[in-house]
Amino acid sequence: MKRQLVRWSSLAAGALLATGAMAFPAQAGEVTPGVVGGTRAAQGEFPFMVRLSMGCGGAMITRQVVLTAAHCVGATGNNTSITATVGQVDLQSASATKIKSTKVYRAPGYSSASSGKDWALIKLASAVPAAVTTLPIASTTAYDSGTFTVAGWGAASEGGAQQRYLLKANVPFVSDASCASAYPGLVQAASLCAGNLASGGVDTCQGDSGGPMFRRDSANNWIQVGITSWGEGCARPGKPGVYTQVSTYASAISAAAATL
């Protein structure tokens, strides 16, 4: 049995909904890293990153639209219950910008993360500040291999607490064949896998769901190739992270974003 299928913490979300604010572990000097095996991101290093109030991540793909995972949101329609935090690696920073949602668009036909179509869009009530950049999405498979970067405010260890500071890590591509051996029934056309297959140790984890997996394109600019989706545990040997393959859904994502 999978310990935690999707990389979203229902316990953290429950606490958030009850209190209206994310709870963080007590700090004594340096904060415990989030993203298993990660290091703290510098302020402004990934200005497209978004933290969502239900306990997921995301990325700005336009000045007013966030790309995240379908399993993080409810049905398509008007929705003013989500708050997006942008512009700061420190979620407790007084200068972080917080913007409410107005609409959610969940991929048509979505049923579960492991079945594919695990993408969604959130329209914000206003455009993000100029310092918050957008992250282009990959429209072909040209960048669906190599070494990827992941980032998020999720747990630093399997079952751990959500984090205050944005963490980053590099994860290597895992072939569809190897990933399917780890996860029989993997929907290969919908999935992009990454992680240290033999040793584990570096991975996204609970609370990182919906956040981007990205790499440099031919012009040395960041491009999003994946959306943090699911996996068995966090950073386990032989169990890579599974990401929604953005290139598979790029045209549908772009078309939907244009209608919001």
Side-chain angles (χ1 to χ4, degrees):
M1 289 292 291
K2 289 181 171 59
R3 181 189 171 277
Q4 178 81 16
L5 179 63
V6 295
R7 301 216 157 169
W8 175 77
S9 171
S10 58
L11 292 177
L16 177 65
L17 292 172
T19 63
M22 181 63 72
F24 302 98
Q27 306 302 323
E30 284 293 303
V31 66
T32 302
V35 173
V36 180
T39 57
R40 190 185 297 187
Q43 177 61 33
E45 187 173 4
F46 307 120
F48 44 77
M49 289 295 301
V50 179
R51 180 63 170 175
L52 299 169
S53 56
M54 80 290 282
C56 284
M60 299 303 307
I61 61 166
T62 76
R63 306 298 304 168
Q64 209 168 338
V65 177
V66 181
L67 177 62
T68 188
H71 73 257
C72 289
V73 303
T76 296
N78 293 334
N79 187 319
T80 59
S81 68
I82 301 167
T83 300
T85 300
V86 299
Q88 284 289 329
V89 298
D90 178 2
L91 295 180
Q92 293 185 4
S93 171
S95 60
T97 299
K98 297 180 184 295
I99 307 174
K100 284 285 191 180
S101 61
T102 60
K103 296 180 181 179
V104 163
Y105 181 94
R106 189 169 64 183
Y110 169 79
S111 59
S112 67
S114 59
S115 298
K117 301 181 180 179
D118 192 14
W119 64 270
L121 301 172
I122 299 170
K123 184 176 182 180
L124 304 182
S126 61
V128 293
V132 178
T133 62
T134 58
L135 179 62
I137 61 173
S139 58
T140 74
T141 60
Y143 303 108
D144 288 355
S145 61
T147 299
F148 307 119
T149 299
V150 292
W153 289 269
S157 60
E158 192 171 308
Q162 307 293 292
Q163 299 299 306
R164 171 178 172 178
Y165 295 94
L166 180 67
L167 273 291
K168 62 179 181 178
N170 292 328
V171 287
F173 168 73
V174 173
S175 70
D176 282 354
S178 295
C179 198
S181 293
Y183 300 118
L186 178 79
V187 182
Q188 295 184 30
S191 306
L192 189 60
C193 301
N196 293 323
L197 195 60
S199 59
V202 181
D203 198 2
T204 47
C205 201
Q206 281 79 55
D208 291 321
S209 276
M213 181 168 73
F214 46 99
R215 54 158 289 175
R216 296 289 186 177
D217 65 12
S218 58
N220 202 38
N221 297 316
W222 292 121
I223 189 167
Q224 183 171 357
V225 297
I227 302 167
T228 303
S229 184
W230 63 280
E232 185 171 335
C234 303
R236 296 182 186 181
K239 298 295 181 182
V242 183
Y243 301 79
T244 302
Q245 190 163 4
V246 168
S247 60
T248 300
Y249 303 107
S251 60
I253 291 169
S254 296
T259 68
L260 291 180

